[in-house]
Amino acid sequence: MSMKSLTKISALALIAGLTVGCASTSDLQKVQNDANEAKSMARNAMDTANEAKSMASEAKSISMATEEKINRMFKKSMYK
């Protein structure tokens, strides 16, 4: 390889390195902030889902109790 080719390749490598670059501290901080926000949103979603699950369980219990009451009323009416 000639010195001219080596210089061209080195220049291209340097330009590519500068173009791609490394992540700066501010870029990393932005990513960390985004990750923290995503975690917070996920926690809120999980809390909401748990609340909905609890409400559904309560509604199921009430529904089952009502069904049992209706069945008893039906049986009483059949005996009359």
Side-chain angles (χ1 to χ4, degrees), residues 3-34:
M3 186 64 144
K4 208 174 201 181
S5 296
L6 186 59
T7 305
K8 286 181 183 180
I9 292 172
S10 296
L12 287 173
L14 179 64
I15 291 171
L18 291 174
T19 302
V20 173
C22 297
S24 68
T25 305
S26 66
D27 291 340
L28 292 176
Q29 187 62 41
K30 287 177 188 175
V31 170
Q32 185 64 42
N33 289 342
D34 288 346

Side-chain angles (χ1 to χ4, degrees), residues 53-68:
K53 184 177 178 182
S54 175
M55 291 172 72
S57 178
E58 184 179 343
K60 181 180 177 184
S61 296
I62 292 170
S63 172
M64 290 174 73
T66 303
E67 182 180 3
E68 186 178 321

Side-chain angles (χ1 to χ4, degrees), residues 38-51:
K39 284 180 186 178
S40 175
M41 291 172 70
R43 273 190 229 106
N44 288 341
M46 183 62 85
D47 291 344
T48 302
N50 286 335
E51 185 179 341

